[in-house]
Amino acid sequence: MSEPTQAASATAPGPHAPALLRLSSVTKVYPGTTALRNVDFALHAGAVNVLVGENGAGKSTMMKIIAGIERPTQGEILLDGRAVQLHSTDEARKLGIGIVHQELNLFPNLTITENLFLGRELTGTGPAIDMAEQRRQASALLHALEHALDPDTLVGDLRIGQQQIVEIARALAQDARILILDEPTSALSAPEVEILFRVIRDLRARGVGIVYISHRLEELVRIGDFITVLRDGSITGSAEMTQVDVAWIVRQMVGASTRDFARAADHQWGDTVLKAQGIRLGRPGAPGFLVDGVDLAVRRGEIVGIYGLMGAGRTELLECIFGCHPDRARGSLCLDGRELLGADVATCIAAGLAMIPEDRKADGLIPTLSIGANLTLSSLLRLCRGAFLSLVREREAIDRSVSALAIKARDPAHDIGSLSGGNQQKVVIGRALMTGPKVLLMDEPSRGIDISAKSDVFKVMRDLSATGIGIVFVTSDLDEVMALSDRIVVMSNGRITAEFGPGEATQDAIVAASAAGHNLLP
Amino acid sequence: MTATPATSTDRLASLGRARAVLLLLHLRTFIALFLVTGYFAISAPNFISADNAMIMSKHVALNAFLAIGMTYVIVSGGIDLSVGSIVGLAGMVAGDLILHGVRIGDYIIWFNVPAVIAITLALGVSIGALNGLLITRLNVAPFIATLGTLYIARGTALLMSDGATFPNLEGDAAHGTTGFPAVGAMNLAGIPLTIWLLLAVAAGTAWLGARTPLGRHIYAIGGNERAAILSGVKVRRVKMFVYMLSGMCGAIVGLIISSQLVAAHPMTGETFELNAIAAAVLGGTSMSGGRGRIGGTIIGAFVIGILSDGLVMMGVSSFWQTVIKGVVIITAVVVDQFQQRVQQRMALLQRVAA
């Protein structure tokens, strides 16, 4: 730090600052993917330890291991130099480890006080909860966070930013020695961020080891003492914040070595196939727009990459195009000369759209159906002979799909759950392709799959675009968007904030555009 | 993978074991059927006889019709509590049409039996459609929506006669309404019409489930509704269909019962929906949706039917029968949970082996 505060200088972070907690050669393997590879990480007391990396780099997995939610496949956790086993969040909490998750884990039907003390209610001598004492402590906590909210307010009635404060208060209420903040500012306004930073500095002065995860690089540079960069499950850089700059961080995040994304083959694009104009989607039950007047045109054979932070409205834009909100979406949407806005999903598919949803498990797979039935679900009418489903034609279509996408399945009649993440993703893609789309919408197509499956998926995308299919894909991965896209569109707060043609984009410009308009809204 | 030969043989062995266990689990309803039948054949006199088989089949058929409709409702992720009441209302409407016709001003319109049957079936389908509309358009939970129609249909049935029975549904030749009792009593090639009808409905719905896009869509919705929507499945239409099919099955049973009894009573079919759910669950239908077959449901209906008829023949008190039925159903669900765990383990083993 160039200007260490008085309090912080007492435990001035330096190369020899005490490591409160260490991860030693930690590896975590999930079915289908390796999330962390041989990671060594030191968490310093009385310092803000920044953790940064792209989506899927392994930050969340690492934090889950520290917070006792997940257990490492290999390696050990050392707390104060002693190896500990964290079997549950409860054990981690008793050792003074608190976590504020990116997605809020609050109970909207309970009050602030009840949320703060859930699972560790204060009881006096009897079985009854000591309401008055809980309320007093809750009030004091909120006061410390400079949010004088009534502790009896239902959490569901709070704004998202206020809910975030409650979530932070909950972690603080447990006297954490280690506090993990996963994207704590993603829903906060600028003044709220300042308050949070004051709280963080105060905690640091008290010797709390803070892990701070964020995508917003400017923030990290301001608040961090140590920085650790993760990429593809490995630590690629670790340094004191004073010795690095934003350019260094980006370099470590993205890597100098190009992954096997090879630029799209040079081919001519056709005419405009999809033209969206003034697409708007209101926030349900609140003023403002999730998608705010987006214009987007896609040509045959073109790959358009949409980059943006979480909550930028990228997924919602794809949903609007795909007919998921026929009643609420506004604007105009033209596919091959046909107006599609207001049509439902089935009509959109019939007209030549297809979508690969972001959350494969929740929105993509049918766990009770076989691999084959998952593949043909969108194209059953095409595989009928009269009213019958022709099992022969279905089998042919499945075999074609399996070999075209190199799906590693021993038997398409097996459960879909028997496939690895990457192959499951290929099944979802295969289902979309079987409908013969003109435009393919892909939401985070490489999420949660390993490197080799990723390059398979990217190869499929390139091959498809060469056959004249227009592709719109959404990603939070800078490298991916730069390598794969013919054109890059950056979204922030529901709007398009920048657009780059082939060869025009730089990483800095994209990152800057993705942050445009943030922290300005209340 | 750093699999040593030993661990990979272990894995193959455990895969083989899992397969064997899974096969047994898949056939469990069959095994149960054999066990009950075998047990009663030995301990109940006259249990194995053509006459008795015919009588039992007729009993089982009634529950089987309802269970068929119920199966697809449950597979789609819903539940239909109204079928028992539809049975009662359908019988009353059929009886009313035969005895009283439809009065319009000073005229009374009489319908012949095929028309009565058609109207009654249409009524069952309409109540199913009402369930479907409540569930798909007004987003009422299936349990609540069909609980509501359960009361409405039952209340309407009671209102039609002030709670009284419509007796003597033989009809009147002068009005052309004769022949209704034949529906339940008629035999074709020595086998009751009811059984033929059950075979037809079972074959038709089994075909629908296995070999039509609609059938596949029912399973997809039960497995993951959001994914089904995003795959272009018209979820509302499919749900409408399953409730309408279930309503029609209720009406079929209402017609058969009132025809067999030659009378319609408004309380007919009370708690039948529970027997239907029991048969479906016993036959391997998963209450969480996405899994279940008509074949399994039929066998499930037979297990329940044979169990209760056999216990009657052995002179076991009907109170005990009720307890036993409950135990059988709970056991079935516990076994089903076990099967799903084995299946998941199997899937993981297959993934490792692949």
Side-chain angles (χ1 to χ4, degrees), chain A residues 31 322 324 345-346 349 361-368 373 376-378 380 384 387-389 391 394 414 417-419 431, chain B residues 15 19 207 211-213 216-217 219-220 223-224 226-234 289-291 343 347 350-351 353-354:
Chain A
F322 197 54
C324 298
V345 174
I349 290 179
K361 211 165 148 194
D363 302 334
L365 299 173
I366 316 272
T368 50
T376 54
L377 182 60
S378 292
L380 292 171
C384 278
F388 274 98
L389 196 56
L391 296 189
E394 187 185 19
H414 282 170
S418 66
L419 295 183
R431 183 197 300 160
Chain B
L15 191 61
R19 281 214 178 99
W207 169 77
R211 297 295 297 276
T212 66
R216 192 67 68 75
H217 289 171
Y219 284 90
N224 184 346
R226 274 197 55 85
I229 294 173
L230 291 177
S231 302
V233 174
K234 291 180 173 151
R291 287 181 217 271
Q343 227 153 10
Q350 278 168 352
R351 182 191 289 179

Side-chain angles (χ1 to χ4, degrees), chain A residues 453-476:
Chain A
K454 261 186 203 178
S455 58
D456 279 0
V457 167
F458 296 151
K459 183 174 180 313
V460 167
M461 288 169 69
R462 281 195 301 275
D463 293 351
L464 288 174
S465 71
T467 65
I469 295 178
I471 297 181
V472 181
F473 81 107
V474 156
T475 181
S476 323

